Amino acid sequence: MAAVERAMVALRRQQSRHSLARLSARRGLRSGRVGALPDAVFQLLDAAEHAAALGRALTVTEAATALAVDQPRASRLAAQAADAGLLRREADQTDGRRSLLALTPDGHAAVKQIRDFRRQVIAEALRDWSAEDCADLARLLTRFVDDIAAITDE
């Protein structure tokens, strides 16, 4: 259990240091107006895509929770994403006080580019692994994430 916990902490530290974002910048993949956006905007796009995959739209309040930021910060991030043409705000038909966040086609393209880059880095990290080891990792990691979620998600 200690080895698994250490691995989880190491992954969390890499995420909090934005290691992949820094790597993409070093490789020249963060350029232009969209590339200059803060990492949190891309995390917001990821959260919006995840909500859409679940068949619902993301609210600013839900975005704040997903990103572990306060609501004003989530609103500013949504505004930055909207100004960059990656996200749009839509009126919530059931509650006029709320706005829903939806990816634009450019937002979908940005999320795809990020996903492709992550997969490329994972492939690089696993290039010396056997196909069987890669399949085992995918199966066990998915099972672990699902089991942790069953305990921690409310």
Side-chain angles (χ1 to χ4, degrees):
M1 294 306 110
V4 172
E5 185 268 342
R6 280 193 302 274
M8 286 180 55
V9 169
L11 282 172
R12 188 188 76 232
R13 285 183 184 141
Q14 281 191 336
Q15 289 293 318
S16 66
R17 289 192 313 258
H18 304 283
S19 298
L20 286 176
R22 288 195 336 263
L23 177 61
S24 68
R26 285 196 310 270
R27 292 185 177 180
L29 301 174
R30 290 196 62 159
S31 60
R33 186 171 54 100
V34 171
L37 292 170
D39 295 339
V41 168
F42 299 106
Q43 294 167 354
L44 172 62
L45 299 179
D46 186 60
E49 182 190 53
H50 179 70
L54 297 175
R56 58 184 182 75
L58 188 70
T59 66
V60 172
T61 301
E62 292 167 338
T65 300
L67 301 177
V69 299
D70 60 22
Q71 193 165 348
R73 171 88 170 123
S75 186
R76 286 191 302 274
L77 291 169
Q80 287 179 294
D83 290 345
L86 303 174
L87 195 71
R88 70 178 175 275
R89 290 180 185 251
E90 300 174 345
D92 184 341
Q93 300 302 315
T94 62
D95 184 346
R97 298 168 295 174
R98 296 182 344 156
S99 62
L100 305 175
L101 306 176
L103 291 175
T104 64
D106 286 346
H108 283 288
V111 171
K112 182 185 180 316
Q113 183 178 4
I114 293 164
R115 183 182 315 109
D116 290 348
F117 177 71
R118 281 191 305 238
R119 289 177 180 176
Q120 175 189 349
V121 172
I122 291 167
E124 287 177 39
L126 299 177
R127 74 174 154 245
D128 294 332
W129 290 38
S130 70
E132 182 180 336
D133 284 349
C134 290
D136 286 345
L137 175 64
R139 179 180 55 80
L140 293 171
L141 191 55
T142 300
R143 179 179 168 191
F144 177 72
V145 168
D146 290 346
D147 290 348
I148 286 286
I151 295 167
T152 60
D153 287 354
E154 298 170 10

